[in-house]
């Protein structure tokens, strides 16, 4: 039951983009088309889950025993950068069209603060390895959900006439704010589920 709560909370209640405001760069940059958003979401899901597992193992079995916790951020960034390079090579061979569609934003996963943020958050929350994997994967699902919904709205906005002052980035920012407000409606879901399952 705890894993279900982590899953629901990470997707809806504490959405990495709309509640914690991490990963805004790809959210605004890659969310013009639904298929590109789904591809970016899948790439982030793979990198985020894999990097969280690797960084958790490095933290628990290398940094903590050697008293090198102060190297956490540096080592995590290096691990994430290496994993992104691996994903980039695989995508280039497996799906050249998706590789071209993602363009500059695929290397930007390296500096995507959502990936690094999740790797650090699982350590701060004192999750075990399974909880860390569930949290990382569900956070990536929340990331992909927010991007895909946002891309769908932006595709619809391209079909309507907007006042000149609201075109471009202005309507994009207003839409992002409204979407964030919509996700705030899930804020009581976490505590409600905890009471329902007797975990409080």
């Amino acid at each position: 039951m705890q894993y279900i709560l982590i899953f629901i909370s990470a997707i809806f209640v504490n959405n990495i983009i709309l509640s914690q405001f991490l990963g805004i760069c790809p959210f605004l940059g890659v969310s013009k088309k639904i298929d590109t958003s789904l591809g970016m979401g899948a790439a982030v899901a793979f990198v985020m889950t894999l990097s969280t597992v690797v960084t958790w193992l490095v933290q628990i079995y290398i940094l903590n025993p050697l008293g090198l916790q102060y190297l956490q951020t540096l080592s995590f960034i290096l691990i994430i950068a290496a994993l992104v390079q691996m994903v980039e090579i695989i995508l280039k061979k497996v799906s050249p069209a998706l590789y071209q569609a993602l363009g500059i934003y695929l290397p930007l996963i390296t500096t995507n603060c959502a990936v690094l943020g999740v790797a650090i958050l699982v350590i701060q929350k004192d999750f075990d390895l399974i909880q860390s994997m569930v949290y990382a994967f569900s956070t990536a699902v929340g990331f992909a959900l927010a991007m895909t919904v946002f891309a769908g709205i932006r595709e619809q906005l391209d079909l309507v006439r907007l006042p000149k002052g609201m075109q471009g980035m202005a309507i994009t920012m207003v839409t992002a704010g409204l979407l964030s407000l919509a996700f705030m409606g899930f804020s009581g879901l976490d505590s409600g589920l905890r009471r329902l399952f007797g975990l409080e």
Side-chain angles (χ1 to χ4, degrees):
M1 202 55 62
Q2 192 176 14
Y3 299 128
I4 295 171
L5 286 171
I6 291 171
F7 188 78
I8 292 171
S9 176
I11 294 174
F12 298 109
V13 181
N14 297 314
N15 187 282
I16 196 79
I17 296 175
L18 300 172
S19 296
Q20 300 182 52
F21 308 110
L22 296 172
I24 298 293
C25 177
F27 178 65
L28 296 175
V30 189
S31 60
K32 292 178 183 173
K33 299 285 178 192
I34 291 176
D35 54 347
T36 311
S37 296
L38 286 171
M40 184 66 171
V44 167
F46 178 74
V47 171
M48 193 177 282
T49 306
L50 191 59
S51 65
T52 301
V53 170
V54 175
T55 53
W56 187 91
L57 292 170
V58 167
Q59 179 75 34
I60 299 301
Y61 294 108
I62 298 174
L63 298 182
N64 287 353
L66 297 175
L68 299 173
Q69 291 91 340
Y70 60 91
L71 291 176
Q72 182 190 65
T73 305
L74 180 63
S75 58
F76 284 13
I77 288 171
L78 291 172
I79 291 165
I80 291 165
L83 290 171
V84 169
Q85 288 299 314
M86 186 179 74
V87 169
E88 197 170 351
I89 291 165
I90 291 168
L91 267 184
K92 200 170 185 178
K93 289 187 182 295
V94 174
S95 179
L98 180 59
Y99 177 78
Q100 288 294 328
L102 291 175
I104 188 82
Y105 293 99
L106 186 59
L108 281 179
I109 296 176
T110 307
T111 55
N112 186 344
C113 53
V115 179
L116 179 61
V118 168
I120 292 172
L121 281 171
V122 296
I123 303 299
Q124 289 177 349
K125 291 174 183 282
D126 203 26
F127 283 161
D128 61 30
L129 184 58
I130 304 298
Q131 289 173 327
S132 299
M133 288 172 66
V134 170
Y135 181 76
F137 178 74
S138 47
T139 300
V141 170
F143 181 90
L145 175 69
M147 281 194 53
T148 307
V149 170
F150 192 52
I153 294 170
R154 287 181 77 177
E155 282 187 0
Q156 292 298 313
L157 286 172
D158 288 341
L159 304 175
V160 299
R161 291 181 63 193
L162 294 167
K164 194 170 184 181
M166 288 298 291
Q167 291 175 0
M169 192 50 71
I171 192 65
T172 301
M173 298 304 288
V174 169
T175 306
L178 291 172
L179 191 58
S180 182
L181 281 172
F183 268 70
M184 282 185 183
F186 295 114
S187 59
L189 186 63
D190 191 35
S191 57
L193 286 172
R194 287 183 182 278
R195 281 196 296 273
L196 179 67
F197 297 117
L199 295 173
E200 275 191 353

